[in-house]
Protein backbone atom coordinates (compact mmCIF):
# COMPACT_ATOMS: atom_id res chain seq x y z
CA UNK A 1 0.00 0.00 0.00
CA UNK A 2 1.65 3.18 -1.18
CA UNK A 3 0.25 6.60 -0.59
CA UNK A 4 1.69 9.69 -2.21
CA UNK A 5 0.21 12.90 -0.87
CA UNK A 6 -0.04 15.55 -3.62
CA UNK A 7 2.60 18.25 -3.15
CA UNK A 8 0.15 21.11 -3.77
CA UNK A 9 -2.22 19.72 -1.11
CA UNK A 10 0.69 19.24 1.32
CA UNK A 11 1.62 22.92 0.91
CA UNK A 12 -1.97 23.90 1.72
CA UNK A 13 -2.14 21.60 4.77
CA UNK A 14 1.17 23.02 6.06
CA UNK A 15 -0.36 26.52 6.08
CA UNK A 16 -3.44 25.55 8.09
CA UNK A 17 -3.55 26.28 11.83
CA UNK A 18 -2.63 23.25 13.95
CA UNK A 19 -5.44 23.43 16.50
CA UNK A 20 -8.39 22.31 14.29
CA UNK A 21 -6.43 19.26 13.09
CA UNK A 22 -5.32 18.53 16.67
CA UNK A 23 -8.93 18.77 17.86
CA UNK A 24 -10.12 16.46 15.06
CA UNK A 25 -7.38 13.93 15.88
CA UNK A 26 -8.05 13.98 19.63
CA UNK A 27 -11.80 13.66 19.08
CA UNK A 28 -11.41 10.77 16.61
CA UNK A 29 -8.98 9.03 18.98
CA UNK A 30 -11.27 9.46 21.97
CA UNK A 31 -14.35 8.24 20.08
CA UNK A 32 -12.63 5.26 18.47
CA UNK A 33 -9.81 3.77 20.54
CA UNK A 34 -9.80 5.43 23.96
CA UNK A 35 -12.33 2.90 25.23
CA UNK A 36 -9.83 0.06 24.74
CA UNK A 37 -6.86 2.06 26.02
CA UNK A 38 -8.32 3.84 29.05
CA UNK A 39 -7.41 0.99 31.42
CA UNK A 40 -3.69 1.35 30.66
CA UNK A 41 -1.57 3.17 33.22
CA UNK A 42 -1.70 6.74 31.89
CA UNK A 43 -0.64 8.39 35.18
CA UNK A 44 2.92 9.20 34.07
CA UNK A 45 1.54 10.80 30.90
CA UNK A 46 -1.13 12.99 32.51
CA UNK A 47 -0.63 16.62 31.53
CA UNK A 48 2.40 15.86 29.35
CA UNK A 49 2.35 17.56 25.97
CA UNK A 50 2.91 15.63 22.76
CA UNK A 51 3.59 16.74 19.23
CA UNK A 52 3.12 14.53 16.19
CA UNK A 53 4.69 15.95 13.06
CA UNK A 54 3.69 14.41 9.72
CA UNK A 55 6.76 15.48 7.79
CA UNK A 56 5.70 14.92 4.19
CA UNK A 57 2.48 16.91 4.46
CA UNK A 58 3.64 19.52 6.96
CA UNK A 59 0.90 18.73 9.49
CA UNK A 60 1.60 19.04 13.19
CA UNK A 61 -0.75 17.80 15.90
CA UNK A 62 -0.50 18.96 19.51
CA UNK A 63 -2.21 17.19 22.39
CA UNK A 64 -1.90 16.16 26.01
CA UNK A 65 -3.27 13.22 27.97
CA UNK A 66 -6.18 13.79 30.35
CA UNK A 67 -8.23 11.33 32.40
CA UNK A 68 -10.91 11.35 29.70
CA UNK A 69 -8.53 10.78 26.77
CA UNK A 70 -6.51 13.06 24.56
CA UNK A 71 -6.95 16.81 24.82
CA UNK A 72 -6.15 19.00 21.82
CA UNK A 73 -3.56 21.68 22.53
CA UNK A 74 -2.33 24.75 20.71
CA UNK A 75 1.19 24.88 19.32
CA UNK A 76 3.88 25.61 21.84
CA UNK A 77 5.93 23.70 24.35
CA UNK A 78 5.98 19.92 24.01
CA UNK A 79 7.58 17.19 26.08
CA UNK A 80 8.15 14.84 23.16
CA UNK A 81 7.79 15.04 19.39
CA UNK A 82 7.22 12.09 17.05
CA UNK A 83 8.08 12.74 13.39
CA UNK A 84 7.45 10.42 10.42
CA UNK A 85 5.72 10.46 7.05
CA UNK A 86 1.97 10.00 6.71
CA UNK A 87 2.47 6.51 5.26
CA UNK A 88 4.76 5.48 8.10
CA UNK A 89 2.24 6.68 10.72
CA UNK A 90 -0.49 4.72 8.89
CA UNK A 91 1.73 1.64 8.80
CA UNK A 92 2.36 2.02 12.56
CA UNK A 93 -1.33 2.45 13.34
CA UNK A 94 -2.29 -0.60 11.29
CA UNK A 95 0.54 -2.63 12.83
CA UNK A 96 2.17 -3.21 9.46
CA UNK A 97 5.46 -1.75 10.62
CA UNK A 98 7.31 -2.09 13.89
CA UNK A 99 8.17 1.25 15.55
CA UNK A 100 11.68 0.01 16.43
CA UNK A 101 12.36 -0.79 12.78
CA UNK A 102 11.21 2.66 11.71
CA UNK A 103 13.24 4.29 14.48
CA UNK A 104 16.47 2.44 13.65
CA UNK A 105 15.96 3.07 9.93
CA UNK A 106 15.58 6.79 10.77
CA UNK A 107 12.02 6.91 9.44
CA UNK A 108 10.59 7.68 12.90
CA UNK A 109 12.21 10.37 15.02
CA UNK A 110 11.56 10.85 18.71
CA UNK A 111 12.80 14.20 20.03
CA UNK A 112 12.61 15.81 23.44
CA UNK A 113 11.93 13.51 26.38
CA UNK A 114 12.87 10.26 24.64
CA UNK A 115 12.17 8.27 27.80
CA UNK A 116 8.58 9.51 27.67
CA UNK A 117 8.42 8.70 23.95
CA UNK A 118 9.66 5.16 24.55
CA UNK A 119 7.19 4.73 27.42
CA UNK A 120 4.32 5.66 25.08
CA UNK A 121 5.66 3.35 22.36
CA UNK A 122 6.00 0.41 24.74
CA UNK A 123 2.58 1.01 26.25
CA UNK A 124 0.88 1.06 22.85
CA UNK A 125 2.94 -1.90 21.60
CA UNK A 126 1.39 -3.98 24.36
CA UNK A 127 -2.13 -3.44 23.00
CA UNK A 128 -3.37 -6.03 20.53
CA UNK A 129 -4.65 -4.57 17.25
CA UNK A 130 -7.79 -6.70 17.49
CA UNK A 131 -8.59 -5.14 20.89
CA UNK A 132 -8.31 -1.67 19.35
CA UNK A 133 -10.44 -2.73 16.41
CA UNK A 134 -13.16 -4.01 18.72
CA UNK A 135 -13.60 -0.51 20.19
CA UNK A 136 -14.28 1.11 16.81
CA UNK A 137 -17.93 1.71 15.93
CA UNK A 138 -19.21 -1.25 13.79
CA UNK A 139 -18.84 0.00 10.21
CA UNK A 140 -15.60 1.87 10.93
CA UNK A 141 -14.07 -1.21 12.55
CA UNK A 142 -14.94 -3.38 9.57
CA UNK A 143 -13.57 -0.75 7.16
CA UNK A 144 -10.25 -0.43 9.03
CA UNK A 145 -9.93 -4.20 9.32
CA UNK A 146 -10.65 -4.64 5.61
CA UNK A 147 -8.02 -2.05 4.68
CA UNK A 148 -5.49 -3.68 6.97
CA UNK A 149 -6.14 -7.16 5.59
CA UNK A 150 -5.88 -5.89 2.02
CA UNK A 151 -2.60 -4.14 2.79
CA UNK A 152 -1.22 -7.23 4.51
CA UNK A 153 -2.13 -9.36 1.48
CA UNK A 154 -0.33 -6.84 -0.75
CA UNK A 155 2.71 -7.23 1.51
CA UNK A 156 2.46 -11.01 1.11
CA UNK A 157 1.44 -11.57 4.73
CA UNK A 158 -1.28 -14.15 5.35
CA UNK A 159 -4.28 -12.99 7.39
CA UNK A 160 -6.51 -15.14 9.56
Amino acid sequence: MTLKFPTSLARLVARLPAYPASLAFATAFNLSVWKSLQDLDWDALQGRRFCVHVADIGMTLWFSVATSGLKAETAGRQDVTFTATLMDFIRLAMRREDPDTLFFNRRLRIEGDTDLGLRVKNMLDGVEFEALLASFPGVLGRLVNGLRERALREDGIATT
Side-chain angles (χ1 to χ4, degrees), residues 79-95:
D79 294 299
V80 65
T81 299
F82 298 93
T83 302
T85 65
L86 178 61
M87 194 65 219
D88 284 336
F89 279 125
I90 290 171
R91 294 176 72 83
L92 282 170
M94 295 192 122
R95 302 290 172 96

Side-chain angles (χ1 to χ4, degrees), residues 9-141:
L9 190 54
R11 278 186 286 221
L12 175 66
V13 168
R15 289 189 172 118
L16 296 174
Y19 186 77
S22 300
L23 181 60
F25 173 76
T27 301
F29 180 92
N30 293 338
L31 291 173
S32 60
V33 298
W34 178 252
K35 184 174 146 186
S36 18
L37 299 177
Q38 65 187 353
D39 292 334
L40 296 176
D41 183 11
W42 293 94
D43 292 341
L45 307 176
Q46 295 284 324
R48 304 296 296 269
R49 288 180 52 107
F50 298 87
C51 175
V52 172
H53 178 67
V54 186
D56 56 335
I57 65 172
M59 177 183 282
T60 305
L61 306 171
W62 302 81
F63 55 90
S64 60
V65 176
T67 55
S68 59
L70 298 186
K71 177 184 172 217
E73 299 285 353
T74 57
R77 176 194 63 79
Q78 73 276 355
D79 294 299
V80 65
T81 299
F82 298 93
T83 302
T85 65
L86 178 61
M87 194 65 219
D88 284 336
F89 279 125
I90 290 171
R91 294 176 72 83
L92 282 170
M94 295 192 122
R95 302 290 172 96
R96 291 185 54 219
E97 193 79 57
D98 177 67
D100 293 329
T101 301
L102 289 180
F103 180 78
F104 289 114
N105 287 324
R106 298 174 190 225
R107 291 171 41 205
L108 171 66
R109 288 193 325 264
I110 302 172
E111 300 168 296
D113 186 341
T114 53
D115 182 53
L116 176 63
L118 292 174
R119 182 177 292 155
V120 170
K121 180 202 79 72
N122 292 335
M123 218 170 83
L124 296 177
D125 274 353
V127 177
E128 293 296 322
F129 186 78
E130 290 71 22
L132 288 176
L133 212 58
S135 67
F136 279 61
V139 173
L140 183 59

